[in-house]
């Protein structure tokens, strides 16, 4: 019985294209995960290793990024149709193209009740957390409460820079005065009392953190964390300390120059790893530490 090549297709999976429309003060964002797969006259590549009919998956990737600017990314259906038609129409060996797109939705943050021009949180709620430690009884009773949240995904498309950093012989990073800054924020704060109106306090702290992220012209994620913590401690005298863990979700400007396409901070590759991980505690220095407050049991909180 003969052995033959059956169904086959190939392409580039999961290109993380972020397109910012920034022609006016009020930016728009489209954030997608796009994959392309081609079927056609590709048997030679499998059977003999002849690649002469193969449009590289790298080329498919470049096209996905460039089309977000050349054709625009205002609806994923049109974008996907444009991309698919391009592969089928321009490469004679391609008989069909499948384009799959996931779109991540973002919601504008409110600052003083008004929609912000260039800061969003990812749709889908963050997870609220609490960890308490009760020790002793009667007059010896202590209650330590830590509130917080995790997975608050927040992004600003301008108002962030990173310059003037220490450089050595391995430094390649170029300074930038205008970049996308995004993180999946974890924040935890320790209360000095249990006499707290928990619900409005949670909402109030979250609001301060989001508003500070949006409005502070950031010189680094480090500075943003400190200013967010400081603002929370200034607003709530019963918070002793706040801790942040913030992965720097890098958005690298995609190089479209080889295709003669201008990219003025409009098309980004949202890289998932490696990521910078910036952590900080902001604390009132007159208060004693409470190390047991931070001894995680599950690792979840
Ligand atoms: O806000 C930042 N802090 C850093 O420490 C850092 N390092 C880096 O490469 N990019 C950034 N961004």
């Amino acid at each position: 019985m003969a052995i033959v090549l059956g169904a086959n297709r190939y392409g580039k999976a999961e290109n993380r294209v972020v397109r910012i429309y920034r022609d006016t003060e009020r930016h728009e964002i489209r954030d997608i995960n796009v994959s392309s797969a081609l079927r056609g006259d590709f048997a030679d590549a499998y059977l003999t290793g002849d690649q002469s009919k193969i449009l590289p998956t790298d080329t498919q990737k470049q096209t996905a990024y460039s089309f977000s600017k050349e054709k625009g990314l205002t609806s994923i259906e049109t974008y996907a149709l444009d991309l698919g038609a391009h592969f089928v129409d321009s490469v004679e060996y391609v008989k069909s193209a499948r384009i799959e797109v996931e779109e991540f939705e973002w919601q504008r943050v409110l600052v003083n009740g008004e929609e912000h021009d260039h800061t969003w949180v990812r749709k889908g709620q963050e997870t609220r957390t609490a960890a308490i430690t009760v020790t002793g009884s009667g007059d010896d009773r202590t209650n330590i409460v830590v509130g917080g949240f995790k997975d608050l995904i927040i992004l600003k498309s301008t108002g962030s820079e990173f310059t003037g950093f220490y450089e050595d012989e391995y430094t390649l990073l170029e300074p930038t005065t205008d970049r996308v800054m995004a993180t999946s924020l974890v924040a935890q704060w320790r209360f000095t009392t249990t006499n707290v109106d928990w619900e409005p306090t949670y909402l109030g702290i979250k609001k301060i953190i989001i508003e500070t992220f949006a409005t502070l012209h950031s010189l680094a994620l480090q500075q943003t964390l400190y200013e967010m913590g400081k603002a929370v401690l200034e607003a709530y005298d019963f918070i002793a300390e706040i801790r942040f863990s913030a992965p720097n979700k890098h958005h690298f400007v995609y190089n479209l120059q080889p295709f003669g396409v201008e990219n003025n901070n409009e098309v980004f590759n949202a890289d998932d790893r490696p990521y910078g991980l910036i952590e900080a505690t902001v604390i009132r220095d007159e208060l004693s530490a409470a190390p047991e407050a931070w001894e995680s049991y599950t690792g979840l909180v």
Side-chain angles (χ1 to χ4, degrees), residues 198-211:
W198 303 106
E199 300 308 303
T201 301
Y202 175 77
L203 294 174
I205 292 173
K206 195 173 93 176
K207 179 168 184 283
I208 290 170
I209 290 171
I210 288 173
E211 289 192 355

Side-chain angles (χ1 to χ4, degrees), residues 147-175:
F149 59 71
K150 58 181 181 177
D151 307 333
L152 180 89
I153 303 179
I154 185 164
L155 176 149
K156 66 194 295 183
S157 55
T158 189
S160 161
E161 54 184 273
F162 191 65
T163 64
F165 42 81
Y166 184 91
E167 296 188 39
D168 69 8
E169 68 268 39
Y170 298 108
T171 303
L172 290 179
L173 186 71
E174 293 287 337

Side-chain angles (χ1 to χ4, degrees), residues 232-260:
V232 169
L233 265 58
E234 281 171 352
Y236 293 96
D237 61 5
F238 51 80
I239 304 288
E241 65 179 302
I242 181 164
R243 297 186 174 196
F244 296 106
S245 181
N248 189 355
K249 293 172 80 74
H250 302 297
H251 286 65
F252 295 114
V253 176
Y254 207 84
N255 180 15
L256 301 178
Q257 231 172 358
F259 323 125

Side-chain angles (χ1 to χ4, degrees), residues 161-162 173 179 181 218-222 248 250 278:
E161 54 184 273
F162 191 65
L173 186 71
R179 65 173 183 173
M181 188 167 79
S218 175
L219 301 178
L221 200 42
Q222 284 90 332
N248 189 355
H250 302 297
I278 317 294

Side-chain angles (χ1 to χ4, degrees), residues 114-187:
E114 302 237 333
E115 289 189 342
H116 196 260
D117 278 342
H118 58 252
T119 307
W120 300 265
V121 289
R122 262 272 284 274
K123 273 195 192 158
Q125 280 291 303
E126 69 285 353
T127 302
R128 183 171 164 182
T129 62
I132 62 116
T133 312
V134 179
T135 309
S137 51
D139 288 348
D140 291 333
R141 167 65 53 89
T142 60
N143 296 303
I144 304 175
V145 180
V146 175
F149 59 71
K150 58 181 181 177
D151 307 333
L152 180 89
I153 303 179
I154 185 164
L155 176 149
K156 66 194 295 183
S157 55
T158 189
S160 161
E161 54 184 273
F162 191 65
T163 64
F165 42 81
Y166 184 91
E167 296 188 39
D168 69 8
E169 68 268 39
Y170 298 108
T171 303
L172 290 179
L173 186 71
E174 293 287 337
T176 171
T177 55
D178 190 4
R179 65 173 183 173
V180 166
M181 188 167 79
T183 187
S184 175
L185 189 63
V186 181

